[in-house]
Amino acid sequence: MQSEPVASRSADPRDSRDSRESRSGTPQLDAVSLAIIEQLQEDGRRPYAAIGKAVGLSEAAVRQRVQKLLDQGVMQIVAVTDPLTVGFRRQAMVGVNVEGVLDPVADALTAMPEVEYVVMTAGSFDILAEVVCEDDDHLLDVINKRIRALPGVRSTESFVYLKLKKQTYMWGTR
Amino acid sequence: MQSEPVASRSADPRDSRDSRESRSGTPQLDAVSLAIIEQLQEDGRRPYAAIGKAVGLSEAAVRQRVQKLLDQGVMQIVAVTDPLTVGFRRQAMVGVNVEGVLDPVADALTAMPEVEYVVMTAGSFDILAEVVCEDDDHLLDVINKRIRALPGVRSTESFVYLKLKKQTYMWGTR
DNA sequence: TCGAAGCCTGCGGATTTCGCAGATCTGATC
DNA sequence: GATCAGATCTGCGAAATCCGCAGGCTTCGA
């Protein structure tokens, strides 16, 4: 989860227990957990026994691993849709430029229910945020009154969605 | 199960009856189906009986509706993760400017396995594409050798991800 | 009026989930 | 090297869930 180089993985006395965490707090996943995730990326409701057969583990072991992955927040099993199908008529990606530290702005964006996706980036924007709204008024309100009003926000640029062409969640399956 | 976009729906002339389609080919969802989707956005593995109790339907009815929603491609139930956690070290959003028609370029991007997300936008980019790669070399290769090489691509701008702050799939839950 | 289609309910039987106890393995400590 | 603690896996009933199917109700058009 961190852009930090993983190079310095020396003998850290602490990271013995648990599933070995890097200093960024990101759990280290072994090949079996990756295989389980891959199975669930194909079908989030696949039975544990079927997954177990595919990855070479018992049903109970798969169940425990899945539960742990969910608890740790490594993955979530959810229904995804095209928002346009579900009644949200306006979506946009908003590029944000920030003065000073990024985190307060990123946290404020994260707290907004209309914001589905927040990522800090390197490039001509500091933060990219995806906004899902019901109509133009709503979108305008979120961008102009709420996002641009945040302290530290220097400027924003919006990209209104015209058509969603692809949406996948299957890295690992390739 | 398919890497097919959730967005694209088959404009089949036959299914005029069915659950009533608008001319965009998008199935019209009633309040109950929306409520079911909402339940599954909270927990993709929630039992049908529990969903039925929440939306006022029998277990079998929920099951049939869910199956239909999946078949129609309205929603998918999948595991989602932060790719950085799962071993993909470099991600970027790529803004693309196109000369002429957009669709050939958008389709070419959609066909690339490293591209997870493609959307046509209004604004200073014509297309936004999210790229998931294993390392810097891979990312560089995709952006410079593959994307920029597409016929019709006038220019691109990349935003390398530093940290994913938020990722939700819960429209309707608000 | 009739038939077809869509959607719902109820109901067993097969399957899956769930909780738990015991076995195994690994690393840390002395 | 002996031992202990923690984590993980397996096996196994009991409970819950999933699944297919038959039947009822309603709508719509011939």
Side-chain angles (χ1 to χ4, degrees), chain B residues 133-158:
Chain B
C133 291
E134 287 162 31
D135 52 39
D136 287 323
D137 287 341
H138 190 190
L139 180 61
L140 199 64
D141 191 72
V142 170
I143 293 177
N144 282 345
K145 301 226 177 83
R146 312 252 303 279
I147 295 181
R148 302 181 85 114
L150 290 175
V153 170
R154 193 201 309 261
S155 64
T156 70
E157 182 169 354
S158 302

Side-chain angles (χ1 to χ4, degrees), chain A residues 104-121:
Chain A
V105 176
D107 291 338
L109 289 169
T110 297
M112 297 182 187
E114 292 91 349
V115 175
E116 286 291 323
Y117 196 71
V118 177
V119 60
M120 298 179 177
T121 64

Side-chain angles (χ1 to χ4, degrees), chain A residues 44-46 76-77 80-81 107 110 115-118 120 122 124 130 157 160 162-166 168, chain B residues 5 7 44-46 76-77 80 107 110 116-118 120 122 124 130 157 160 162-163 165-166 168 171:
Chain A
R45 275 182 168 259
R46 184 161 297 169
Q76 29 182 358
I77 300 176
V80 297
T81 67
D107 291 338
T110 297
V115 175
E116 286 291 323
Y117 196 71
V118 177
M120 298 179 177
S124 62
E130 189 183 54
E157 183 169 354
V160 174
L162 298 178
K163 183 180 177 67
L164 182 60
K165 291 284 286 188
K166 182 180 187 178
T168 334
Chain B
R45 275 182 167 258
R46 185 161 296 169
Q76 19 180 175
I77 300 176
V80 297
D107 290 339
T110 297
E116 288 290 324
Y117 196 73
V118 176
M120 298 178 176
S124 62
E130 189 182 54
E157 182 169 354
V160 174
L162 300 179
K163 184 178 178 67
K165 291 283 287 188
K166 181 180 188 179
T168 331
W171 330 283

Side-chain angles (χ1 to χ4, degrees), chain B:
Chain B
M1 188 166 296
Q2 205 69 306
S3 68
E4 208 177 334
V6 180
S8 72
R9 214 130 294 110
S10 61
D12 192 289
R14 276 181 298 100
D15 53 10
S16 49
R17 45 194 174 28
D18 212 356
S19 348
R20 211 163 7 277
E21 303 217 351
S22 71
R23 57 229 77 252
S24 63
T26 307
Q28 195 68 19
L29 302 178
D30 62 17
V32 178
S33 287
L34 285 179
I36 291 174
I37 292 175
E38 192 172 315
Q39 292 285 318
L40 289 170
Q41 281 174 338
E42 288 177 19
D43 175 6
R45 275 182 167 258
R46 185 161 296 169
Y48 296 133
I51 298 173
K53 189 169 296 184
V55 307
L57 236 54
S58 70
E59 177 268 344
V62 173
R63 176 155 39 92
Q64 287 159 14
R65 284 209 184 215
V66 168
Q67 192 55 53
K68 190 174 171 188
L69 290 170
L70 294 174
D71 290 343
Q72 288 178 148
V74 173
M75 71 170 181
Q76 19 180 175
I77 300 176
V78 294
V80 297
T81 68
D82 174 3
L84 291 172
T85 310
V86 197
F88 291 92
R89 313 269 295 283
R90 283 295 176 268
Q91 270 182 280
M93 186 69 74
V94 181
V96 182
N97 279 301
V98 176
E99 194 156 357
V101 283
L102 293 184
D103 284 283
V105 176
D107 290 339
L109 288 170
T110 297
M112 298 182 187
E114 292 90 349
V115 175
E116 288 290 324
Y117 196 73
V118 176
V119 59
M120 298 178 176
T121 64
S124 62
F125 295 124
D126 296 312
I127 296 174
L128 287 175
E130 189 182 54
V131 180
V132 178
C133 291
E134 287 162 31
D135 52 39
D136 287 323
D137 287 341
H138 190 190
L139 180 61
L140 199 64
D141 191 72
V142 170
I143 293 177
N144 282 345
K145 301 226 177 83
R146 312 252 303 279
I147 295 181
R148 302 181 85 114
L150 290 175
V153 170
R154 193 201 309 261
S155 64
T156 70
E157 182 169 354
S158 302
F159 306 91
V160 174
Y161 285 15
L162 300 179
K163 184 178 178 67
L164 182 60
K165 291 283 287 188
K166 181 180 188 179
Q167 187 183 29
T168 331
Y169 305 93
M170 299 229 201
W171 330 283
T173 318
R174 62 188 197 221

Side-chain angles (χ1 to χ4, degrees), chain A residues 19-82:
Chain A
S19 338
R20 216 173 346 286
E21 303 215 348
S22 72
R23 54 230 77 243
S24 64
T26 307
Q28 194 70 18
L29 301 178
D30 62 17
V32 176
S33 287
L34 286 179
I36 291 174
I37 292 175
E38 191 173 315
Q39 293 285 318
L40 289 170
Q41 280 174 337
E42 288 177 21
D43 175 6
R45 275 182 168 259
R46 184 161 297 169
Y48 296 134
I51 299 173
K53 190 169 294 182
V55 306
L57 234 54
S58 70
E59 177 269 340
V62 172
R63 176 156 38 91
Q64 288 158 13
R65 283 208 185 218
V66 168
Q67 193 53 53
K68 190 175 169 187
L69 290 170
L70 294 173
D71 290 342
Q72 288 176 320
V74 173
M75 72 171 179
Q76 29 182 358
I77 300 176
V78 294
V80 297
T81 67
D82 175 3

